[in-house]
Amino acid sequence: MESFLSSILSFMKKIPDHRPKNLDQLIRPKCVVLSYPVQFPDVSSLLPEHKLRHLCRSAETLQSDHRIFKAQTSQPQTSRCEEDPVQSSSEPRSVLTPVQHSESVEQVNPLHIVWPHRWEHDKNPEMFFNTLIKLKEKQLDFKLSVLGETFTDVPEIFSSSQHLLQSHILNWGFLSSKDQYLKVLCDADVVVSTSKHEFFGVAMLEAVHCGCFPLCPKALVYPEIFPGKHT
């Protein structure tokens, strides 16, 4: 919206006549941004125990806040966490907040990092893999899932990095089954974006819905979606 409104003046200068004045100011009050529609699936059966516990705590907090908000009404509020933690619905609702893992989980399992993007240059895979290679050189333990669709021109960094990071890789390549894809996201701890170009970032939102902690650039659409500590 800002790109459109800020470009009106320079665009109108190219028109020889019939140029209304202050067109951007006239249009701005009528403008509204419609977010990309995402319907999140029910992943409760795929979530590991520590993520499910976190989701239930989050649901209880939301229920508590809702009861305070509805304090002047007599409508009873019941928790659905146990029977239906993440019910799919077309109605707006909160995405599962990123999991802050307990000490016991961190001690048992290395960090599982997932990169669920198209295998193209605008996703900046070079930055992602170069960072992971540095982690490997420092002998830091982690597990890796690189998902996403491939096209004709696959950046060379993917094949070279697959060889260098082979001992860390759990999943590599496009998953044709949506259930398999969601299962990997539910098993992962951190989802990373290094994109140089992103209109909305559905893959990042899906991963966060599955309990992943998002790390993304402090640019593009991300600051509008995620709090500052994630960018």
Side-chain angles (χ1 to χ4, degrees), residues 66-117:
H66 191 59
R67 281 194 294 268
I68 294 173
F69 183 73
K70 293 288 188 177
Q72 295 181 344
T73 72
S74 58
Q75 181 179 357
Q77 303 297 326
T78 57
S79 174
R80 301 170 61 187
C81 184
E82 293 183 0
E83 58 182 276
D84 191 9
V86 195
Q87 183 183 12
S88 178
S89 172
S90 59
E91 297 178 0
R93 58 178 177 78
S94 298
V95 178
L96 171 60
T97 53
V99 172
Q100 306 290 342
H101 299 299
S102 65
E103 289 78 2
S104 60
V105 173
E106 291 178 344
Q107 289 171 1
V108 173
N109 300 318
L111 195 70
H112 182 181
I113 303 169
V114 63
W115 194 85
H117 310 286

Side-chain angles (χ1 to χ4, degrees), residues 5 8 45-46 61 67 69 77 101 107 144 154 161:
L5 293 173
I8 290 178
S45 63
L46 304 176
T61 301
R67 281 194 294 268
F69 183 73
Q77 303 297 326
H101 299 299
Q107 289 171 1
L144 175 64
V154 177
S161 298

Side-chain angles (χ1 to χ4, degrees), residues 1-7 28 33:
M1 184 181 74
E2 291 300 329
S3 297
F4 171 72
L5 293 173
S6 61
S7 301
R28 181 176 290 276
V33 176

Side-chain angles (χ1 to χ4, degrees), residues 5 12 86 98 101 123 127 146 149 214:
L5 293 173
M12 293 301 292
V86 195
H101 299 299
K123 299 300 180 183
M127 174 181 285
V146 178
E149 196 169 0

Side-chain angles (χ1 to χ4, degrees), residues 2-212:
E2 291 300 329
S3 297
F4 171 72
L5 293 173
S6 61
S7 301
I8 290 178
L9 182 61
S10 58
F11 177 78
M12 293 301 292
K13 287 181 178 179
K14 300 177 182 179
I15 300 177
D17 52 15
H18 301 293
R19 294 182 292 183
K21 294 182 179 180
N22 303 321
L23 187 58
D24 57 329
Q25 297 178 23
L26 293 172
I27 292 176
R28 181 176 290 276
K30 306 175 184 179
C31 291
V32 62
V33 176
L34 299 179
S35 296
Y36 186 88
V38 183
Q39 186 171 6
F40 296 103
D42 180 358
V43 296
S44 57
S45 63
L46 304 176
L47 290 172
E49 186 63 29
H50 66 280
K51 286 189 177 182
L52 194 58
R53 287 198 304 267
H54 177 79
L55 175 59
C56 288
R57 289 195 299 268
S58 299
E60 289 170 0
T61 301
L62 288 173
Q63 286 289 341
S64 176
D65 291 344
H66 191 59
R67 281 194 294 268
I68 294 173
F69 183 73
K70 293 288 188 177
Q72 295 181 344
T73 72
S74 58
Q75 181 179 357
Q77 303 297 326
T78 57
S79 174
R80 301 170 61 187
C81 184
E82 293 183 0
E83 58 182 276
D84 191 9
V86 195
Q87 183 183 12
S88 178
S89 172
S90 59
E91 297 178 0
R93 58 178 177 78
S94 298
V95 178
L96 171 60
T97 53
V99 172
Q100 306 290 342
H101 299 299
S102 65
E103 289 78 2
S104 60
V105 173
E106 291 178 344
Q107 289 171 1
V108 173
N109 300 318
L111 195 70
H112 182 181
I113 303 169
V114 63
W115 194 85
H117 310 286
R118 286 181 289 105
W119 292 22
E120 293 189 302
H121 289 286
D122 67 309
K123 299 300 180 183
N124 199 7
E126 291 80 8
M127 174 181 285
F128 176 70
F129 287 118
N130 289 337
T131 301
L132 292 185
I133 291 170
K134 290 180 181 179
L135 296 180
K136 179 181 174 67
E137 290 172 349
K138 292 183 178 181
Q139 298 184 335
L140 297 174
D141 196 11
F142 61 90
K143 295 300 180 183
L144 175 64
S145 291
V146 178
L147 311 179
E149 196 169 0
T150 60
F151 297 92
T152 304
D153 184 21
V154 177
E156 191 276 334
I157 190 73
F158 282 93
S159 58
S160 60
S161 298
Q162 183 181 15
H163 175 72
L164 291 172
L165 299 169
Q166 188 63 51
S167 61
H168 297 273
I169 294 173
L170 293 178
N171 302 276
W172 188 268
F174 179 74
L175 297 175
S176 57
S177 167
K178 185 72 172 182
D179 287 340
Q180 284 181 298
Y181 176 73
L182 293 172
K183 181 66 169 64
V184 173
L185 295 183
C186 287
D187 288 339
D189 302 300
V190 176
V191 60
V192 178
S193 171
T194 49
S195 294
K196 295 184 289 187
H197 179 267
E198 190 71 84
F199 280 121
F200 191 72
V202 175
M204 291 293 290
L205 280 176
E206 287 181 331
V208 170
H209 172 67
C210 293
C212 293

